[in-house]
Amino acid sequence: MKKTLLALTAVAAMTGSASAADLGARPYVKAPMPAPVANWTGFYVFGGGGGGLSNADQHVQTTVGAIPLTIDQRQGGSGWFGTVGAGYDWQFSGTWVAGVFADGQFGSIRATIQDPTIGITGKQKLETSWAAGVRLGWLVAPNVLSYVNGGYSGAHFGQTNFTDLAGVPAGIHLNSYNRNGWFVGGGVENSLNIFGITSPGWFMKTEYRSAFYNAKTQDELFDVGNTAVGNSIRANSWNQTISTSLVYRFNWTGPVVAKY
């Protein structure tokens, strides 16, 4: 009996060794490729242009005593502008981007200014403005950033020259002036590596912005002698713009995929 058990054990051992040898080595399996990543941290510059709408809430009052002569009314207008700027972004938590930026705008966005008590009308022109602010964005894709922004803004409004109802110069004007305010907005920025075109570092962004400037009281002045007419116009300004800009990122290195 003992000899029989030993014989069976030997046969089983030899059979197992042969089976293991027949299996051969396990095939090599390639490690899964990592998801594309991109680095949004760094400096960038941009330039572009767009169009805007301007609204002014205004009323006429006496220059002496500030006695209202009309009720508040909203006048509007539109125009175009160009823009240039620069900024710096930080990418954190993988898909979040925060940054600071500053830009300037130049162009011609106009809103109507009127004094119905003496029948004159003119255009208040936003000639230049600038903004400094912050933005916070989320990467909807490695190459696409959606964001909101906000901050401080300043603007220069040019001289308003009035005409009468027939369009004849009235010989009355409002001096140019500067105002300060704030803005909020948002947009989308995306890489131009699309449709098979390779353009590392180049992006395009489209942005909406709404800027609010505090009310300003201006005396109506005769062109001759620059003396007071006796009426003043108090108006604020609300400007909405949409712009498209070409962006260059100095640090752009993504998205990249590991190679084997």
Side-chain angles (χ1 to χ4, degrees), residues 110-209:
R110 301 170 181 263
T112 300
I113 295 290
Q114 294 181 333
D115 182 350
T117 66
I118 57 177
I120 58 175
T121 184
K123 294 291 186 180
Q124 181 189 68
K125 179 181 176 183
L126 175 58
E127 296 180 337
T128 59
S129 63
W130 61 270
V134 297
R135 74 173 181 172
L136 177 65
W138 184 71
L139 294 173
V140 298
N143 282 345
V144 181
L145 175 70
S146 62
Y147 64 90
V148 294
N149 58 15
Y152 182 81
S153 181
H156 175 75
F157 296 88
Q159 179 172 302
T160 299
N161 298 307
F162 289 102
T163 63
D164 61 22
L165 298 180
V168 178
I172 299 172
H173 70 273
L174 300 176
N175 284 333
S176 61
Y177 66 98
N178 298 321
R179 289 312 279 164
N180 298 321
W182 55 278
F183 74 92
V184 294
V188 176
E189 183 175 332
N190 62 276
S191 170
L192 291 181
N193 286 338
I194 55 177
F195 306 124
I197 301 174
T198 301
S199 53
W202 289 100
F203 285 70
M204 180 181 71
K205 71 171 182 173
T206 299
E207 178 178 305
Y208 166 83
R209 187 177 295 183

Side-chain angles (χ1 to χ4, degrees), residues 47-61:
L53 300 174
S54 182
N55 293 285
D57 295 319
Q58 59 187 273
H59 69 265
V60 181
Q61 63 189 38

Side-chain angles (χ1 to χ4, degrees), residues 29 51 76 94 97 101 108-109 112 117 144 192 201 209 224 239 247 258:
V29 178
V97 175
F101 68 93
S108 178
I109 299 178
T112 300
T117 66
V144 181
L192 291 181
R209 187 177 295 183
V224 178
N239 296 280
V247 183

